Amino acid sequence: MEALETILERNQQTILLDHLKTLSGEKLENFKKQLQAVDWDYITTLTKEYVLQKPVTAIPDDLSPAPFFPLVPRTDEQKELYAKAKETGKALISAGKVAALTVAGGQGTRLGYNAPKGTFPITPVRKKTLFQYFAESLARVSEKYGFQIPWLIMTSELNDADTRAFFKKNDFFGLSEESVHFFTQGTMPAIRYDGKCFPAEPGSLALAPDGHGGTLLALRKSGLLDAMKKAGVEYISYFQVDNPLVPVVNPFFIGLHALEKSEMSSIMLAKTNAFEKLGNFCITNGKLQIIEYSDMPKELAERTNPDGTLSFLAGSPAIHVITLDFVERLTATGRLELPWHRADKKVAYLENGEIITPEEPNAVKLEAFIFDALPLANRTMILEADRKECFAPTKNKTGVDSVESCREMLAARDARRLRLAGIQVPEGAVVELSPRDVFDDEDAANFFRNLVPTAYGR
Ligand code: UTP
């Protein structure tokens, strides 16, 4: 206790010291444990850098657009490479060298849904949850390639128990329990604008998940990095829990990643306009780096090529393939070697024994972003993809990137697949295919052909 008090005093965490003195018994023990888990000297350093002043993101002056492999191959050589990549990817999946990883540790504040985001009913007709949708996709693609793909799901301390309980209650949606691996990301204390940390409720420090960049260290700390390597996994197919349109594994993307000997690869989408809220793939000092839309200088965002297209066309939908050896190298020191980002948030706090939920942001959360690993990779690769086939994020209730827009995109994709199978679907019809049966276009054609061989003339 004395040692803890000394550390808190040294770091001027007076609110926590005062609160500590009001506690006893189990609450005191738990609070002590929470406080001891934090590196307070490090928090003080970060507070000076990110909280007491608003950090100015230095934008390098040598930014140039990052090169990428185009959606449609442009040369014969590229055509050959793409064909080879597809076969390579399929072979890697069949050989058990690929795991799927979903980051699901976020708090989903914009959606305003009071449960883990993965438990949100998203599909347009059956209202399947995000987790069920991914689970069924994984079951189908595993069946297709003859290997049960391990599914790694990153939770945070705030939603881990609820997430696990949800899977148990639903019998893992038909997946074998052993193929689903939960792991929990780290947390960081929320920091008030005056630099103080605080309890969110009696005996409980206000904590927030450390960002999706936390995936890397959490993989190591949880033992999953070792376990996956032992099981022969070499590549991770990384995607976000709020994007049900993403293929849970993409053989072509994985194959190209492997053939290019990339350590971390990213899917890119052509931005719809200069200021679309996607990170921009840029090259600086010979390295690939994502510059957030909010940090991108206006004149660069708007710059065009002679043919009128955007110079900085490539936006990031947060879909990556990551080589496991790269994760191992990056986390070897046992610390997260990524920069921090400041987010101003409304964080509940304790005042005179009462829990107050503020109307305005009152504290800073520090988060690491997975894409900051890109400049640390020896080799990277970017592949263009079709937005309609891979990106329908569910961030908000309505409007842009919302539940509504996501459902529309899912229905439109499935209508396209039905048409591919020779079935007429009126424009705007709300349809839904089960990913347990249909993982990709090829599945769609086969499924309907097999189901009712003569019913669907072309
Ligand atoms: P977002 O940046 O959209 O954050 O996360 P969020 O917490 O889900 O939503 P808001 O901003 O509070 O509305 C993108 C993806 O990264 C995961 C999320 O679960 C989502 O899949 N994520 C985010 C984590 O796993 N951990 C984090 O600490 C942050």
Side-chain angles (χ1 to χ4, degrees):
M1 183 72 167
E2 239 171 66
L4 180 62
E5 282 178 351
T6 309
I7 293 170
L8 291 174
E9 267 159 27
R10 181 166 77 226
N11 291 287
Q12 295 167 26
Q13 291 297 346
T14 46
I15 300 178
L16 299 179
L17 273 165
D18 289 347
H19 188 63
L20 204 53
K21 286 176 194 141
T22 67
L23 299 172
S24 60
E26 204 180 324
K27 277 218 165 91
L28 174 65
E29 286 314 309
N30 285 342
F31 196 49
K32 265 167 49 182
K33 243 188 236 153
Q34 274 190 330
L35 296 178
Q36 277 158 348
V38 177
D39 181 345
W40 290 103
D41 292 339
Y42 184 49
I43 294 297
T44 299
T45 308
L46 295 179
T47 301
K48 285 183 194 146
E49 200 175 330
Y50 293 96
V51 183
L52 299 179
Q53 54 176 7
K54 277 214 168 171
V56 187
T57 315
I59 300 298
D61 48 19
D62 66 339
L63 286 187
S64 60
F68 56 85
F69 283 98
L71 186 62
V72 181
R74 297 213 175 108
T75 59
D76 283 348
E77 199 188 327
Q78 223 165 41
K79 227 185 250 168
E80 221 171 274
L81 175 68
Y82 282 22
K84 192 170 168 200
K86 275 175 205 148
E87 291 317 309
T88 305
K90 288 178 190 172
L92 288 170
I93 297 169
S94 295
K97 297 199 179 299
V98 180
L101 190 156
T102 308
V103 281
Q107 293 176 294
T109 31
R110 280 170 288 172
L111 189 60
Y113 176 62
N114 200 15
K117 212 178 195 179
T119 68
F120 187 84
I122 192 61
T123 65
V125 179
R126 302 288 297 276
K127 302 292 182 289
K128 288 179 183 172
T129 62
L130 287 152
F131 280 139
Q132 177 172 0
Y133 203 69
F134 293 132
E136 291 185 357
S137 298
L138 274 162
R140 171 63 197 138
V141 72
S142 297
E143 177 181 71
K144 196 173 161 93
Y145 294 115
F147 192 92
Q148 185 58 55
I149 299 167
W151 187 14
L152 321 183
I153 301 175
M154 186 170 82
T155 62
S156 79
E157 270 174 36
L158 312 177
N159 68 13
D160 184 68
D162 288 347
T163 304
R164 287 174 194 257
F166 186 73
F167 273 81
K168 258 223 144 69
K169 192 175 104 200
N170 290 287
D171 287 332
F172 288 76
F173 304 103
L175 290 173
S176 67
E177 195 170 338
E178 304 76 62
S179 70
V180 183
H181 307 266
F182 300 99
F183 67 112
T184 310
Q185 68 179 107
T187 47
M188 289 289 272
I191 309 170
R192 281 188 354 183
Y193 294 132
D194 63 359
K196 309 277 184 250
C197 297
F198 52 96
E201 50 186 86
S204 179
L205 183 62
L207 289 168
D210 60 1
H212 40 66
T215 309
L216 302 168
L217 198 58
L219 271 175
R220 176 181 280 270
K221 285 192 169 169
S222 64
L224 266 180
L225 180 65
D226 282 345
M228 285 299 117
K229 285 200 79 173
K230 271 205 193 93
V233 172
E234 292 176 20
Y235 306 103
I236 286 169
S237 169
Y238 170 105
F239 56 91
Q240 301 191 331
V241 73
D242 52 24
N243 181 20
L245 202 58
V246 69
V248 287
V249 292
N250 175 341
F252 172 38
F253 184 32
I254 292 163
L256 197 57
H257 170 93
L259 290 177
E260 287 294 301
K261 301 200 169 18
S262 170
E263 286 189 315
M264 179 162 174
S265 299
S266 305
I267 288 290
M268 87 77 153
L269 305 177
K271 286 192 303 178
T272 50
N273 65 73
F275 303 107
E276 188 181 356
K277 292 183 172 177
L278 294 178
N280 294 278
F281 288 105
C282 301
I283 299 287
T284 169
N285 199 17
K287 287 279 181 190
L288 178 61
Q289 187 173 338
I290 288 188
I291 304 287
E292 283 191 273
Y293 59 86
S294 48
D295 292 332
M296 191 72 175
K298 187 169 176 294
E299 65 278 13
L300 287 188
E302 285 179 321
R303 185 179 290 172
T304 50
N305 300 316
D307 66 358
T309 54
L310 289 173
S311 298
F312 289 87
L313 183 70
S316 172
I319 303 166
H320 308 284
V321 172
I322 308 172
T323 297
L324 223 48
D325 280 343
F326 176 50
V327 180
E328 186 158 51
R329 176 156 66 74
L330 265 195
T331 56
T333 60
R335 253 209 183 167
L336 198 54
E337 303 294 341
L338 297 181
W340 293 98
H341 296 259
R342 167 186 173 135
D344 293 67
K345 298 271 181 174
K346 298 175 220 167
V347 186
Y349 60 97
L350 203 58
E351 199 171 75
N352 303 324
E354 234 181 277
I355 299 170
I356 315 278
T357 309
E359 302 277 318
E360 295 298 323
N362 60 325
V364 168
K365 287 184 180 178
L366 292 175
E367 296 186 320
F369 293 160
I370 192 85
F371 58 71
D372 282 325
L374 283 167
L376 307 174
N378 290 330
R379 279 176 71 89
T380 54
M381 186 275 286
I382 303 177
L383 174 64
E384 184 178 16
D386 181 350
R387 181 184 297 253
K388 297 194 298 299
E389 301 293 337
C390 70
F391 191 51
T394 321
K395 301 287 183 196
N396 309 300
K397 277 200 180 108
T398 55
V400 179
D401 295 344
S402 66
V403 177
E404 279 169 3
S405 62
C406 179
R407 286 185 181 146
E408 274 166 26
M409 289 189 78
L410 284 170
R413 198 267 320 265
D414 284 354
R416 252 190 332 275
R417 284 188 173 162
L418 282 166
R419 289 188 195 110
L420 276 179
I423 297 165
Q424 288 181 14
V425 183
E427 222 26 78
V430 181
V431 295
E432 177 176 331
L433 293 175
S434 169
R436 181 64 189 86
D437 298 314
V438 177
F439 171 70
D440 53 19
D441 292 356
E442 179 190 63
D443 275 357
N446 289 336
F447 181 73
F448 288 99
R449 195 176 304 125
N450 295 339
L451 196 66
V452 190
T454 55
Y456 304 103
R458 275 166 200 273

